[in-house]
Amino acid sequence: MSAATTTRRTASSGTERRPKEAGRPQAGGSTMDRQRRKLLVPFVGPAFIFYTALFIIPAIGAAWISLHKWAGSGPMTFVGIENYLRVFRDPLFLKSFGNTLLLLFVVGAAIFILAFAMTLVLRDMAGKKIVRSVIFFPHLINALVFGVLAGFIFNPGGIVNTLLAPLGVQNPPAWLAQDNIFPLIMATLVATTTGYFTTILMAGVDRIPPYYYEDCALAGATPFQRLRYVILPLTWDVFGTCAVLWTISSIKIFEIIWVFGGSSGAGIPPTQSWTTAVYTYVTAFSGQSTPAYGAATASAIISLALVSVLVVVLRRAMRRDAVEF
Amino acid sequence: MTTLTKQKPPAPAPLRRPANRRGTSPAMRAEHSIARSIGVVLLWAVVAISIGMLVWMLLQAFRDTRAILSNPWGMPESFDMVNFVRAWTASDFATATVNSVVTTGVSSFLTVALAAPAAYYLSRVESRLTGALSMYFILGLGIPAQVILIPLFVMLNEAHLTDSLFGLNLVYIGVSMPFTVFLLTAFFRSLPLEMEEAAALDGASALRTFVQITLPLAKGGILTAFVLQVVSHWNETLLALTLIQSTEKYTLPIALISFVQQQTYSGADWGGLFAGLCIVVLPMLIVYVWLGRHLTEGLTLGMGK
């Protein structure tokens, strides 16, 4: 209490002493700093409590639940890593996990190649602001919408088939057959996500000062050399960020699969298109069989482990000396 | 002297250069390869298709199901809102829209209101504690929602907060903390310190400096954080699907899912469905047209560094 009053007194009477202090670097901030430090609890406290109670504790709880056999109510039996062994023996989980990996790597690679190509074209094209703002917009739309629209477009009597008929395609593939849904989902994701990453890459490319390009032109660099020696090194950190972003968001993909094609008969999508997020949800909440909370969280924890490993690896692999410019 | 000036030869005619309309230096647009031109054409095609899809979806929402199915390229005969009215009344999109608007507004506002002071503190005070706290908040960025799904459900169930919009709001606030704190910390760091120092010299307390000096300066960043939260809470599906069970508490994404699933039993009502899609998409379009600059700036601020 006395410390608090002293500080307050210094703060109010400090005006005359201030010029002397101002000579020292950061001295003007020292009273301010001391005052600020006292704000720790009122400023950080509420955010800390909400975040801890509704995010960190559940995350720790998940690790705990994944070590138990539990149907949500009734007794929890400790089974150790049995749940993890169980999901890895479950063909459904293996399929879901495989699909998640496909999304992560195949869709990710497609998105990055396309986004980078688009960035290179966009860089100095007329009307780039319009293009950029249009291709960014799908990021703001719930993926459910794309799933439902795809159902209409790829219907047996839908738009795609009516467009294909005049081209002489008599027996178009059954687009929405259970085996074909997942590749369609992958294509839809590429189409709807590329714009977002293009926007972020563009922000990185736009930071490159134009005189580098002019220097390239004067030195007679080919477009490829310019790409290799100027654009790539200077946007490398943005690439790293994008890769991490995609890793984190691809693991969560759920909505688009849940309604894709609008064909989910019993409210559950065909197992061929499940991802680990869908597996977790269905195993715990489908209401079709006894909920297996342990196995469901185990599958979620496995995705978390996958994200963590990949993020660490990516940060290692993408680490370069930051280029200052 | 005067004669000398008069005899000075007229200035040479200025070199005629092509007007540089694009604002880029000539050296940068030297090459016009075929691949590039194809790329430009393709990009404009993407733009046209995107806008076309959006307009097409809007137009179909004004047609009835039979007309849509027989000719998906047709134009609406009249702009009567029958699909919207049916979706609005019969399919409970009205309640869902109100729920979504309230939940999105309240949770986004509270998220930013709680995250801004925390981010301010973390950006201004440098100590081992704040370093650890920043790491602690960033940690959450990497945890996918399905991990906390089941424990959250169990916890909220214990507290009788499942199937409650109040509970859903609490969850949204907690889950949004990592990103918002991270974004706003980066933003506060980018603000100049001089004004705050001047305020402190004038005897303003740290709290007053924050409220009267920093917050007004940070208006843009705070608005950005708010809009990003609005977008993510408006579209959030997995948590709402898990935590909400009764129809009158559905948010829009959940109402849309249940509408799609009803159709497998009651036959496709594409007109109503398109109207439902429009109700989900249009608010985002309005937000984007209105505040889009903040959105893209915020994302690049948060991600670029």
Side-chain angles (χ1 to χ4, degrees):
Chain A
M1 191 56 215
S2 66
T5 28
T6 345
T7 335
R8 205 166 296 142
R9 206 175 302 134
T10 6
S12 51
S13 65
T15 359
E16 312 93 72
R17 295 198 298 130
R18 207 49 65 89
K20 225 189 290 171
E21 282 185 38
R24 279 203 322 242
Q26 291 183 343
S30 72
T31 324
M32 202 161 72
D33 260 3
R34 237 174 299 140
Q35 262 206 341
R36 269 203 204 117
R37 278 168 202 279
K38 282 185 297 181
L39 294 175
L40 173 66
V41 173
F43 270 37
V44 186
F48 184 83
I49 290 169
F50 266 84
Y51 172 60
T52 308
L54 292 160
F55 207 128
I56 295 298
I57 290 179
I60 297 169
W64 175 248
I65 292 176
S66 75
L67 299 175
H68 292 76
K69 187 174 159 57
W70 191 31
S73 55
M76 280 172 98
T77 346
F78 184 80
V79 291
I81 58 164
E82 178 55 40
N83 283 321
Y84 292 90
L85 299 177
R86 184 186 141 191
V87 292
F88 272 115
R89 279 196 304 264
D90 183 355
L92 268 181
F93 175 78
L94 292 179
K95 180 77 189 157
S96 315
F97 195 65
N99 282 344
T100 302
L101 292 181
L102 277 178
L103 290 181
L104 186 53
F105 292 111
V106 178
V107 175
I111 288 176
F112 270 70
I113 293 168
L114 282 176
F116 190 56
M118 280 166 90
T119 311
L120 291 183
V121 177
L122 261 175
R123 187 170 58 82
D124 53 353
M125 107 183 221
K128 75 172 174 184
K129 278 193 182 145
I130 304 172
V131 177
R132 200 153 54 155
S133 39
V134 170
I135 60 175
F136 179 77
F137 183 60
H139 178 63
L140 307 182
I141 300 180
N142 195 328
L144 285 174
V145 174
F146 304 123
V148 174
L149 281 182
F152 184 80
I153 292 170
F154 291 103
N155 241 348
I159 292 186
V160 169
N161 286 358
T162 33
L163 283 181
L164 285 179
L167 298 177
V169 182
Q170 292 306 321
N171 297 308
W175 302 105
L176 296 176
Q178 301 205 330
D179 286 327
N180 292 340
I181 277 194
F182 196 69
L184 264 190
I185 290 177
M186 289 169 68
T188 315
L189 277 171
V190 172
T192 52
T193 321
T194 304
Y196 170 63
F197 285 100
T198 310
T199 321
I200 299 181
L201 285 182
M202 274 302 286
V205 172
D206 276 352
R207 283 193 320 209
I208 301 175
Y211 48 79
Y212 281 106
Y213 299 125
E214 285 172 334
D215 195 42
C216 282
L218 290 177
T222 63
F224 177 75
Q225 285 172 321
R226 194 178 54 191
L227 177 67
R228 170 73 185 75
Y229 296 106
V230 175
I231 301 181
L232 269 184
L234 292 182
T235 47
W236 195 246
D237 55 333
V238 187
F239 267 94
T241 319
C242 285
V244 171
L245 268 179
W246 170 249
T247 308
I248 293 173
S249 61
S250 67
I251 297 288
K252 298 190 230 181
I253 290 172
F254 173 84
E255 291 95 332
I256 190 165
I257 293 168
W258 198 249
V259 296
F260 199 85
S263 60
S264 45
I268 294 174
T271 52
Q272 286 93 332
S273 64
W274 282 15
T275 58
T276 47
V278 177
Y279 181 88
T280 301
Y281 182 82
V282 174
T283 317
F285 300 112
S286 75
Q288 301 214 317
S289 52
T290 335
Y293 279 19
T297 29
S299 113
I301 297 276
I302 292 169
S303 355
L304 175 60
L306 179 68
V307 174
S308 323
V309 170
L310 281 175
V311 168
V312 170
V313 168
L314 275 173
R315 292 195 71 100
R316 271 282 155 85
M318 304 296 276
R319 190 161 54 196
R320 299 280 153 93
D321 292 328
V323 186
E324 295 288 336
F325 59 93
Chain B
M1 280 308 267
T2 35
T3 43
L4 256 179
T5 0
K6 267 179 189 164
Q7 275 171 356
K8 192 175 158 193
L15 269 175
R16 246 173 203 285
R17 288 224 189 116
N20 190 358
R21 287 212 185 77
R22 284 192 222 160
T24 51
S25 87
M28 282 168 58
R29 47 175 163 108
E31 87 284 353
H32 274 286
S33 64
I34 298 175
R36 224 193 119 66
S37 324
I38 295 175
V40 170
V41 171
L42 281 180
L43 262 183
W44 282 112
V46 168
V47 170
I49 291 173
S50 312
I51 297 178
M53 284 283 281
L54 191 63
V55 173
W56 173 78
M57 193 180 84
L58 271 177
L59 289 178
Q60 300 310 310
F62 290 99
R63 306 174 70 211
D64 65 68
T65 304
R66 207 177 320 136
I68 296 175
L69 284 179
S70 64
N71 175 17
W73 301 111
M75 282 289 166
E77 276 131 32
S78 64
F79 283 97
D80 62 1
M81 310 284 281
V82 53
N83 286 330
F84 287 94
V85 171
R86 197 173 62 251
W88 196 253
T89 52
S91 309
D92 274 336
F93 272 107
T95 346
T97 307
V98 173
N99 290 342
S100 263
V101 168
V102 172
T103 309
T104 305
V106 170
S107 62
S108 306
F109 175 79
L110 287 178
T111 303
V112 175
L114 291 179
Y120 176 73
Y121 189 89
L122 295 180
S123 71
R124 286 295 183 264
V125 177
E126 275 187 30
S127 67
R128 212 173 295 159
L129 177 67
T130 54
L133 277 174
S134 303
M135 275 314 291
Y136 179 68
F137 276 106
I138 288 176
L139 201 68
L141 283 176
I143 302 181
Q146 67 258 36
V147 171
I148 59 169
L149 194 65
I150 291 161
L152 259 185
F153 180 77
V154 173
M155 279 169 56
L156 291 183
N157 212 11
E158 288 294 311
H160 302 286
L161 285 174
T162 45
D163 199 17
S164 127
L165 288 174
F166 178 69
L168 191 65
N169 269 300
L170 290 183
V171 169
Y172 281 175
I173 296 170
V175 169
S176 312
M177 265 320 143
F179 178 74
T180 317
V181 168
F182 173 69
L183 178 79
L184 286 177
T185 308
F187 186 78
F188 283 129
R189 284 222 175 94
S190 73
L191 288 180
L193 283 171
E194 283 79 3
M195 302 270 274
E196 288 175 29
E197 279 163 7
L201 286 179
D202 285 344
S205 70
L207 178 65
R208 193 165 162 211
T209 311
F210 173 65
V211 174
Q212 292 196 333
I213 308 293
T214 314
L215 276 188
L217 275 179
K219 220 162 38 187
I222 286 175
L223 185 60
T224 301
F226 178 74
V227 177
L228 285 170
Q229 290 316 312
V230 166
V231 171
S232 79
H233 295 170
W234 180 263
N235 291 329
E236 205 291 323
T237 310
L238 181 59
L239 289 165
L241 189 65
T242 312
L243 298 174
I244 303 288
Q245 284 96 37
S246 43
T247 325
E248 73 273 9
K249 286 173 189 144
Y250 277 176
T251 55
L252 264 180
I254 314 306
L256 190 66
I257 290 180
S258 97
F259 189 74
V260 170
Q261 288 177 349
Q262 277 164 26
Q263 298 204 344
T264 30
Y265 303 108
S266 60
D269 172 12
W270 283 106
L273 194 50
F274 276 109
L277 294 182
C278 287
I279 298 175
V280 175
V281 171
L282 283 184
M284 290 297 103
L285 183 65
I286 293 167
V287 166
Y288 189 50
V289 170
W290 184 25
L291 296 164
R293 192 174 53 83
H294 284 282
L295 269 174
T296 34
E297 266 174 17
L299 283 172
T300 47
L301 177 78
M303 306 308 161
K305 294 285 164 186

